Amino acid sequence: IIYDTCKLINPQNISIGAHSEIKDYVIIQSFGKVEIGEYCQLNPFTVIYAGEVKIGNYVMIAPHCMISSGNHDFRQVEKPMRL
C-alpha cells in the first residue's frame, strides 16, 4: 500500500516488497537502487535520500526518520568532512 501523499522520485530505481505500507508524506528520492523488503512499514514523514539503500523484511521505520546514504571520506580524521 502506497498512500496518495507519498512522493517517489525516480520510481524506476525503487522496489517495494509485497505487503509493505508506505504511509502519508513519505519521500523516497533515489539516485541509485532503493529496495524495501516485504511486510515493511514506513511511517509518516519518513525521508529516504539515497544512492543505494536496502531495507530488509519486516522492518518498521518510525515517523520523521531520515535515511541518507553517502560516501564521505571518514579516514582523514584531521580534516573536517565538509572539506
Side-chain angles (χ1 to χ4, degrees):
I1 299 170
I2 300 174
Y3 285 53
D4 290 337
T5 56
C6 294
K7 187 170 187 179
L8 305 179
I9 301 168
N10 299 321
Q12 70 276 8
N13 298 336
I14 302 167
S15 65
I16 300 171
H19 310 288
S20 287
E21 231 181 316
I22 313 300
K23 297 211 173 192
D24 285 316
Y25 303 104
V26 170
I27 298 172
I28 302 174
Q29 183 169 6
S30 64
F31 304 104
K33 189 170 188 167
V34 174
E35 296 178 44
I36 299 170
E38 296 180 347
Y39 298 94
C40 290
Q41 185 176 15
L42 277 65
N43 282 292
F45 300 99
T46 295
V47 175
I48 299 175
Y49 184 75
E52 191 159 330
V53 166
K54 183 174 183 177
I55 297 171
N57 297 329
Y58 298 96
V59 174
M60 293 169 47
I61 298 176
H64 297 277
C65 284
M66 169 72 167
I67 298 171
S68 179
S69 67
N71 60 354
H72 299 299
D73 184 2
F74 54 86
R75 291 169 287 177
Q76 297 180 14
V77 295
E78 71 284 347
K79 188 176 185 182
M81 208 175 277
R82 291 184 56 90
L83 303 176

XYZ file of all heavy atoms in Angstrom:
658
model
N 0.856 -1.173 0.000
C 0.000 0.000 0.000
C 0.900 1.233 0.000
O 1.761 1.371 0.857
C -0.923 0.036 1.247
C -1.835 -1.181 1.254
C -1.714 1.335 1.279
C -2.606 -1.364 2.535
N 0.698 2.096 -0.965
C 1.428 3.359 -1.034
C 0.390 4.478 -0.959
O -0.466 4.593 -1.833
C 2.252 3.456 -2.325
C 3.268 2.301 -2.391
C 2.960 4.806 -2.403
C 4.023 2.224 -3.698
N 0.454 5.285 0.081
C -0.526 6.342 0.282
C -0.374 7.432 -0.783
O 0.716 7.673 -1.296
C -0.374 6.943 1.682
C -0.911 6.052 2.782
C -0.508 4.731 2.905
C -1.819 6.537 3.707
C -0.999 3.916 3.908
C -2.310 5.730 4.725
C -1.898 4.423 4.811
O -2.393 3.622 5.807
N -1.470 8.104 -1.086
C -1.507 9.111 -2.153
C -0.567 10.287 -1.930
O -0.131 10.921 -2.883
C -2.930 9.654 -2.328
C -3.862 8.621 -2.931
O -3.381 7.689 -3.603
O -5.078 8.746 -2.719
N -0.266 10.607 -0.681
C 0.562 11.783 -0.403
C 2.060 11.492 -0.436
O 2.867 12.384 -0.203
C 0.200 12.372 0.968
O 0.341 11.355 1.964
C -1.217 12.929 0.967
N 2.444 10.253 -0.739
C 3.862 9.894 -0.836
C 4.461 10.489 -2.099
O 3.771 10.701 -3.095
C 4.039 8.383 -0.909
S 3.552 7.559 0.581
N 5.755 10.720 -2.051
C 6.459 11.224 -3.222
C 7.623 10.281 -3.507
O 8.530 10.138 -2.680
C 6.958 12.641 -2.970
C 7.543 13.298 -4.185
C 7.786 14.762 -3.929
C 8.208 15.442 -5.210
N 8.424 16.870 -5.016
N 7.587 9.636 -4.656
C 8.658 8.739 -5.081
C 9.371 9.397 -6.258
O 8.778 9.582 -7.325
C 8.100 7.376 -5.490
C 7.247 6.647 -4.448
C 6.752 5.321 -5.009
C 8.013 6.432 -3.157
N 10.623 9.765 -6.053
C 11.401 10.440 -7.085
C 12.338 9.404 -7.707
O 13.093 8.746 -6.994
C 12.178 11.626 -6.491
C 11.181 12.605 -5.855
C 13.035 12.312 -7.554
C 11.797 13.659 -4.987
N 12.277 9.272 -9.005
C 12.969 8.215 -9.763
C 12.426 6.838 -9.382
O 13.172 5.958 -8.955
C 14.489 8.276 -9.566
C 15.070 9.580 -10.044
O 14.649 10.113 -11.061
N 16.029 10.107 -9.310
N 11.118 6.636 -9.523
C 10.491 5.385 -9.086
C 11.015 4.145 -9.802
O 10.889 3.043 -9.275
C 9.002 5.602 -9.372
C 8.959 6.662 -10.405
C 10.154 7.537 -10.155
N 11.635 4.314 -10.955
C 12.199 3.165 -11.664
C 13.352 2.534 -10.883
O 13.716 1.386 -11.119
C 12.657 3.562 -13.077
C 13.872 4.455 -13.134
C 13.594 5.943 -12.961
O 12.485 6.348 -12.641
N 14.619 6.757 -13.184
N 13.913 3.261 -9.916
C 15.015 2.741 -9.083
C 14.544 2.208 -7.737
O 15.357 1.830 -6.912
C 16.033 3.853 -8.823
C 16.676 4.371 -10.075
O 16.734 3.683 -11.087
N 17.156 5.593 -10.033
N 13.238 2.223 -7.498
C 12.688 1.869 -6.193
C 11.879 0.581 -6.309
O 10.992 0.483 -7.147
C 11.788 3.002 -5.657
C 12.569 4.311 -5.561
C 11.189 2.625 -4.301
C 11.699 5.543 -5.338
N 12.210 -0.400 -5.463
C 11.389 -1.613 -5.413
C 10.823 -1.766 -4.003
O 11.521 -1.552 -3.013
C 12.189 -2.855 -5.819
O 13.218 -3.119 -4.904
N 9.553 -2.109 -3.941
C 8.844 -2.244 -2.665
C 8.236 -3.631 -2.618
O 7.476 -4.018 -3.504
C 7.762 -1.160 -2.524
C 8.404 0.233 -2.593
C 6.986 -1.338 -1.217
C 7.425 1.373 -2.689
N 8.590 -4.392 -1.576
C 8.130 -5.766 -1.437
C 6.646 -5.874 -1.121
O 5.993 -4.909 -0.712
N 6.149 -7.075 -1.277
C 4.737 -7.375 -1.036
C 4.338 -7.056 0.406
O 5.124 -7.224 1.338
C 4.468 -8.843 -1.328
N 3.125 -6.586 0.561
C 2.501 -6.332 1.869
C 3.178 -5.214 2.654
O 2.998 -5.113 3.865
C 2.456 -7.615 2.718
C 1.895 -8.785 1.993
N 0.556 -8.905 1.680
C 2.497 -9.873 1.475
C 0.365 -10.021 1.017
N 1.530 -10.627 0.869
N 3.956 -4.369 2.001
C 4.578 -3.231 2.676
C 3.656 -2.029 2.600
O 2.821 -1.918 1.703
C 5.930 -2.906 2.042
O 6.872 -3.892 2.403
N 3.815 -1.122 3.575
C 2.969 0.057 3.676
C 3.855 1.296 3.708
O 4.716 1.431 4.582
C 2.179 -0.009 4.981
C 0.715 0.194 4.804
C -0.014 0.148 6.128
O 0.282 -0.737 6.948
O -0.887 1.010 6.325
N 3.649 2.181 2.745
C 4.382 3.437 2.682
C 3.361 4.527 2.992
O 2.511 4.861 2.179
C 5.021 3.649 1.286
C 5.750 2.386 0.799
C 5.935 4.863 1.303
C 6.871 1.907 1.677
N 3.431 5.066 4.199
C 2.358 5.925 4.724
C 2.471 7.373 4.254
O 3.356 7.730 3.486
C 2.339 5.828 6.236
C 2.009 4.410 6.689
C 1.285 4.416 7.976
C 0.839 2.997 8.277
N -0.096 2.940 9.342
N 1.564 8.220 4.771
C 1.437 9.608 4.331
C 2.744 10.396 4.401
O 3.481 10.304 5.375
C 0.395 10.342 5.183
C -1.022 9.951 4.807
O -1.313 9.878 3.601
O -1.832 9.722 5.727
N 2.984 11.181 3.353
C 4.057 12.168 3.267
C 5.462 11.570 3.334
O 6.420 12.274 3.643
C 3.876 13.278 4.316
C 2.542 13.949 4.176
C 1.509 13.663 5.070
C 2.291 14.806 3.120
C 0.266 14.253 4.918
C 1.038 15.396 2.967
C 0.029 15.118 3.873
O -1.201 15.692 3.717
N 5.600 10.307 3.035
C 6.926 9.696 2.903
C 7.527 10.188 1.596
O 6.845 10.300 0.581
C 6.826 8.153 2.911
C 8.148 7.514 2.524
C 6.377 7.661 4.282
N 8.828 10.500 1.621
C 9.551 10.888 0.415
C 10.695 9.904 0.214
O 11.487 9.678 1.135
C 10.124 12.317 0.527
C 9.003 13.326 0.704
C 10.989 12.645 -0.698
C 9.491 14.730 1.021
N 10.758 9.321 -0.961
C 11.891 8.467 -1.321
C 12.490 9.057 -2.592
O 11.849 9.077 -3.642
C 11.479 7.007 -1.554
C 10.795 6.434 -0.301
C 12.712 6.180 -1.931
C 10.227 5.039 -0.494
N 13.713 9.583 -2.474
C 14.424 10.126 -3.629
C 15.637 9.247 -3.870
O 16.544 9.177 -3.045
C 14.849 11.566 -3.392
C 15.526 12.168 -4.602
C 15.707 13.668 -4.489
O 15.423 14.267 -3.467
N 16.180 14.270 -5.551
N 15.636 8.568 -5.001
C 16.709 7.610 -5.270
C 17.601 8.097 -6.400
O 17.134 8.571 -7.422
C 16.110 6.252 -5.629
O 15.386 6.357 -6.828
N 18.901 7.977 -6.153
C 19.903 8.246 -7.180
C 20.523 6.935 -7.636
O 21.303 6.900 -8.565
C 20.982 9.176 -6.634
C 20.421 10.462 -6.106
C 20.314 10.676 -4.751
C 19.971 11.431 -6.977
C 19.787 11.859 -4.256
C 19.438 12.619 -6.493
C 19.355 12.830 -5.130
N 20.203 5.877 -6.932
C 20.653 4.528 -7.229
C 19.502 3.599 -6.914
O 18.347 3.965 -7.051
N 19.813 2.426 -6.428
C 18.779 1.434 -6.162
C 18.316 1.499 -4.707
O 19.129 1.427 -3.786
C 19.330 0.042 -6.478
C 18.302 -1.029 -6.454
C 18.859 -2.317 -7.003
C 17.726 -3.302 -7.129
N 18.091 -4.459 -7.907
N 17.009 1.623 -4.517
C 16.403 1.580 -3.186
C 15.502 0.352 -3.145
O 14.574 0.235 -3.949
C 15.595 2.855 -2.881
C 14.866 2.726 -1.554
C 16.506 4.074 -2.856
N 15.790 -0.552 -2.219
C 14.998 -1.774 -2.065
C 14.352 -1.777 -0.690
O 15.034 -1.623 0.311
C 15.876 -3.016 -2.187
C 16.516 -3.194 -3.543
C 17.404 -4.426 -3.579
O 16.988 -5.493 -3.054
O 18.515 -4.304 -4.112
N 13.045 -1.974 -0.670
C 12.296 -2.090 0.579
C 11.694 -3.485 0.582
O 11.028 -3.886 -0.370
C 11.209 -1.005 0.675
C 11.870 0.375 0.659
C 10.366 -1.196 1.932
C 10.921 1.523 0.500
N 11.950 -4.234 1.640
C 11.527 -5.630 1.706
C 10.026 -5.816 1.878
O 9.238 -4.870 1.798
N 9.661 -7.038 2.158
C 8.257 -7.401 2.359
C 7.820 -7.102 3.788
O 8.622 -7.132 4.714
C 8.067 -8.885 2.067
C 8.354 -9.241 0.627
C 8.156 -10.714 0.332
O 8.029 -11.518 1.281
O 8.130 -11.052 -0.857
N 6.540 -6.814 3.936
C 5.912 -6.569 5.246
C 6.584 -5.424 6.009
O 6.676 -5.449 7.223
C 5.916 -7.847 6.103
C 5.126 -8.971 5.496
C 5.752 -9.936 4.708
C 3.753 -9.072 5.690
C 5.020 -10.975 4.136
C 3.024 -10.100 5.121
C 3.666 -11.045 4.344
O 2.949 -12.064 3.772
N 7.039 -4.404 5.291
C 7.656 -3.236 5.923
C 6.624 -2.140 6.130
O 5.577 -2.126 5.486
C 8.789 -2.695 5.046
S 10.216 -3.783 5.010
N 6.951 -1.229 7.040
C 6.085 -0.092 7.293
C 6.956 1.150 7.441
O 7.773 1.236 8.353
C 5.274 -0.316 8.560
C 4.266 0.748 8.836
C 3.431 0.415 10.059
O 3.772 -0.465 10.851
N 2.336 1.121 10.229
N 6.803 2.088 6.514
C 7.461 3.385 6.600
C 6.402 4.373 7.039
O 5.427 4.620 6.322
C 8.052 3.798 5.257
C 9.430 3.229 4.904
C 9.383 1.729 4.740
C 9.968 3.893 3.665
N 6.563 4.921 8.234
C 5.541 5.776 8.827
C 5.643 7.215 8.329
O 6.630 7.592 7.688
C 5.611 5.670 10.347
C 4.947 4.384 10.807
O 3.737 4.243 10.683
N 5.730 3.436 11.299
N 4.613 8.033 8.614
C 4.530 9.365 8.029
C 5.794 10.208 8.190
O 6.453 10.165 9.222
C 3.349 10.001 8.780
C 2.471 8.847 9.127
C 3.445 7.738 9.458
N 6.080 10.944 7.124
C 7.166 11.926 7.058
C 8.568 11.300 7.074
O 9.555 11.998 7.287
C 7.036 12.983 8.159
C 5.752 13.748 8.081
C 4.684 13.417 8.901
C 5.594 14.761 7.166
C 3.481 14.111 8.818
C 4.388 15.464 7.065
C 3.329 15.133 7.897
N 8.673 10.008 6.848
C 9.985 9.382 6.676
C 10.562 9.861 5.354
O 9.851 10.003 4.365
C 9.861 7.842 6.663
O 9.417 7.416 7.952
C 11.168 7.173 6.334
N 11.869 10.105 5.336
C 12.556 10.516 4.115
C 13.722 9.569 3.874
O 14.524 9.316 4.771
C 13.085 11.969 4.223
C 13.897 12.343 2.989
C 11.946 12.946 4.423
N 13.793 9.043 2.667
C 14.944 8.249 2.242
C 15.559 8.992 1.065
O 14.912 9.201 0.039
C 14.544 6.821 1.839
C 13.914 6.094 3.025
C 15.766 6.059 1.320
C 13.384 4.714 2.693
N 16.797 9.418 1.249
C 17.516 10.194 0.253
C 18.765 9.393 -0.030
O 19.691 9.373 0.782
C 17.838 11.559 0.866
C 18.497 12.549 -0.058
C 17.763 13.198 -1.041
C 19.839 12.853 0.072
C 18.356 14.121 -1.868
C 20.437 13.777 -0.756
C 19.694 14.407 -1.729
O 20.286 15.321 -2.553
N 18.772 8.667 -1.140
C 19.757 7.601 -1.220
C 20.367 7.384 -2.588
O 19.702 7.484 -3.606
C 19.096 6.303 -0.776
N 21.642 7.018 -2.536
C 22.315 6.471 -3.698
C 22.032 4.987 -3.754
O 21.692 4.451 -4.796
N 22.134 4.324 -2.624
C 21.800 2.905 -2.550
C 21.445 2.539 -1.112
O 22.229 2.770 -0.196
C 22.968 2.052 -3.022
C 22.572 0.612 -3.212
C 23.512 -0.144 -4.129
O 24.098 0.468 -5.020
O 23.631 -1.356 -3.933
N 20.238 1.991 -0.943
C 19.756 1.584 0.375
C 18.982 0.287 0.216
O 18.188 0.142 -0.716
C 18.832 2.666 1.001
C 18.054 2.122 2.183
C 19.626 3.875 1.430
N 19.213 -0.636 1.135
C 18.439 -1.873 1.163
C 17.852 -2.040 2.555
O 18.580 -2.086 3.547
C 19.320 -3.078 0.823
C 18.536 -4.367 0.759
C 19.385 -5.519 0.277
C 18.541 -6.769 0.166
N 19.321 -7.896 -0.363
N 16.531 -2.128 2.614
C 15.806 -2.327 3.868
C 15.240 -3.734 3.815
O 14.561 -4.100 2.860
C 14.692 -1.278 4.016
C 15.311 0.129 4.092
C 13.829 -1.566 5.233
C 14.314 1.259 4.017
N 15.528 -4.531 4.832
C 15.105 -5.935 4.850
C 13.612 -6.117 5.052
O 12.839 -5.162 5.044
N 13.216 -7.345 5.265
C 11.813 -7.694 5.502
C 11.413 -7.397 6.946
O 12.242 -7.431 7.846
C 11.590 -9.186 5.228
C 11.864 -9.542 3.782
O 11.665 -8.746 2.872
N 12.348 -10.740 3.550
N 10.149 -7.108 7.154
C 9.537 -6.904 8.478
C 10.151 -5.732 9.242
O 10.199 -5.738 10.466
C 9.639 -8.183 9.328
C 8.907 -9.351 8.718
C 9.594 -10.284 7.935
C 7.546 -9.511 8.886
C 8.929 -11.353 7.357
C 6.872 -10.582 8.315
C 7.576 -11.494 7.548
O 6.904 -12.546 6.966
N 10.587 -4.700 8.528
C 11.192 -3.522 9.158
C 10.124 -2.443 9.341
O 9.336 -2.185 8.446
C 12.352 -2.975 8.299
C 12.891 -1.672 8.872
C 13.459 -4.015 8.184
N 10.121 -1.829 10.516
C 9.241 -0.695 10.786
C 10.125 0.530 11.016
O 11.077 0.480 11.795
C 8.395 -0.967 12.034
C 7.401 -2.081 11.835
S 6.595 -2.651 13.352
C 6.105 -1.162 14.147
N 9.813 1.618 10.322
C 10.575 2.854 10.466
C 9.635 3.902 11.062
O 8.537 4.133 10.555
C 11.151 3.316 9.116
C 12.130 2.241 8.598
C 11.855 4.660 9.263
C 12.696 2.516 7.226
N 10.093 4.521 12.143
C 9.268 5.471 12.887
C 9.009 6.742 12.073
O 9.748 7.064 11.141
C 9.957 5.839 14.193
N 7.958 7.485 12.437
C 7.683 8.750 11.762
C 8.862 9.720 11.881
O 9.602 9.704 12.863
C 6.478 9.306 12.519
C 5.824 8.124 13.145
C 6.946 7.178 13.460
N 9.035 10.529 10.867
C 10.024 11.603 10.825
C 11.470 11.125 10.797
O 12.377 11.897 11.128
C 9.819 12.586 11.989
C 8.505 13.290 11.942
N 8.283 14.409 11.185
C 7.320 13.005 12.545
C 7.034 14.800 11.332
N 6.424 13.964 12.147
N 11.722 9.886 10.407
C 13.102 9.406 10.288
C 13.692 9.837 8.952
O 12.996 9.942 7.961
C 13.158 7.888 10.386
S 12.947 7.293 12.058
N 14.992 10.047 8.956
C 15.727 10.408 7.738
C 16.802 9.363 7.522
O 17.590 9.080 8.428
C 16.369 11.785 7.915
C 17.347 12.165 6.850
S 16.501 12.515 5.319
C 17.773 13.301 4.395
N 16.796 8.762 6.339
C 17.815 7.780 5.969
C 18.519 8.326 4.746
O 17.894 8.642 3.740
C 17.180 6.409 5.666
C 16.490 5.868 6.914
C 18.228 5.438 5.145
C 15.651 4.637 6.669
N 19.845 8.447 4.850
C 20.613 9.005 3.750
C 21.867 8.168 3.555
O 22.570 7.863 4.518
C 20.989 10.450 4.075
O 21.757 11.002 3.044
N 22.125 7.792 2.322
C 23.370 7.069 2.048
C 24.373 8.056 1.480
O 24.021 9.088 0.923
C 23.122 5.937 1.056
O 22.771 6.452 -0.209
N 25.631 7.754 1.648
C 26.665 8.644 1.137
C 28.011 7.952 1.138
O 28.154 6.833 1.613
N 28.968 8.642 0.627
C 30.313 8.070 0.556
C 31.337 9.070 1.071
O 32.341 9.334 0.433
C 30.638 7.632 -0.876
C 30.580 8.785 -1.855
O 30.192 9.892 -1.503
N 30.970 8.539 -3.079
N 31.092 9.644 2.236
C 32.020 10.608 2.820
C 33.336 9.923 3.165
O 33.365 8.791 3.630
C 31.430 11.230 4.080
C 30.163 11.978 3.835
N 30.085 13.066 3.003
C 28.909 11.787 4.309
C 28.842 13.518 2.986
N 28.110 12.748 3.768
N 34.419 10.655 2.973
C 35.745 10.134 3.313
C 35.993 10.389 4.799
O 36.294 11.500 5.214
C 36.808 10.825 2.460
C 38.196 10.269 2.686
O 38.349 9.306 3.478
O 39.135 10.802 2.076
N 35.809 9.356 5.592
C 35.959 9.496 7.045
C 37.330 9.045 7.527
O 37.600 9.036 8.712
C 34.862 8.703 7.775
C 34.799 7.259 7.371
C 35.598 6.316 7.979
C 33.951 6.857 6.351
C 35.541 4.992 7.593
C 33.880 5.535 5.962
C 34.702 4.601 6.585
N 38.208 8.689 6.617
C 39.549 8.223 7.019
C 40.468 9.372 7.392
O 41.423 9.193 8.131
C 40.174 7.401 5.894
C 39.435 6.062 5.703
C 39.879 5.387 4.461
N 39.265 6.166 3.368
C 39.448 5.942 2.081
N 40.241 4.986 1.698
N 38.863 6.678 1.182
N 40.213 10.569 6.888
C 41.051 11.726 7.195
C 40.477 12.445 8.415
O 39.818 13.470 8.290
C 41.117 12.660 5.990
C 41.747 12.031 4.777
C 41.783 13.002 3.608
O 41.574 14.203 3.758
N 42.051 12.485 2.427
N 40.757 11.927 9.590
C 40.134 12.451 10.807
C 40.616 13.846 11.178
O 39.956 14.552 11.930
C 40.330 11.478 11.995
C 39.601 10.178 11.741
C 41.807 11.234 12.268
N 41.740 14.270 10.655
C 42.257 15.605 10.965
C 41.606 16.687 10.109
O 41.780 17.869 10.357
C 43.787 15.651 10.784
C 44.278 15.588 9.336
C 44.209 14.204 8.712
O 44.021 13.209 9.420
O 44.329 14.117 7.482
N 40.821 16.292 9.122
C 40.201 17.219 8.176
C 38.675 17.149 8.318
O 38.115 16.059 8.282
C 40.624 16.822 6.764
C 40.231 17.757 5.686
C 40.818 17.260 4.356
C 40.575 18.198 3.241
N 41.114 17.683 1.982
N 37.989 18.292 8.477
C 36.534 18.265 8.561
C 35.919 17.608 7.305
O 36.399 17.819 6.182
C 36.135 19.732 8.635
C 37.341 20.419 9.189
C 38.515 19.660 8.628
N 34.887 16.823 7.477
C 34.268 16.092 6.385
C 33.758 17.017 5.276
O 33.765 16.668 4.111
C 33.119 15.226 6.927
C 32.856 13.996 6.120
S 31.605 12.954 6.853
C 32.583 12.061 8.036
N 33.328 18.199 5.628
C 32.834 19.156 4.643
C 33.912 19.575 3.648
O 33.646 20.036 2.570
C 32.262 20.394 5.317
C 30.993 20.129 6.070
C 30.414 21.407 6.643
N 30.182 22.441 5.653
C 29.038 22.588 4.977
N 28.049 21.759 5.191
N 28.899 23.564 4.112
N 35.169 19.456 4.044
C 36.273 19.872 3.184
C 36.826 18.687 2.413
O 37.714 18.784 1.627
C 37.370 20.526 4.011
C 36.907 21.741 4.843
C 38.054 22.258 5.697
C 36.383 22.838 3.928
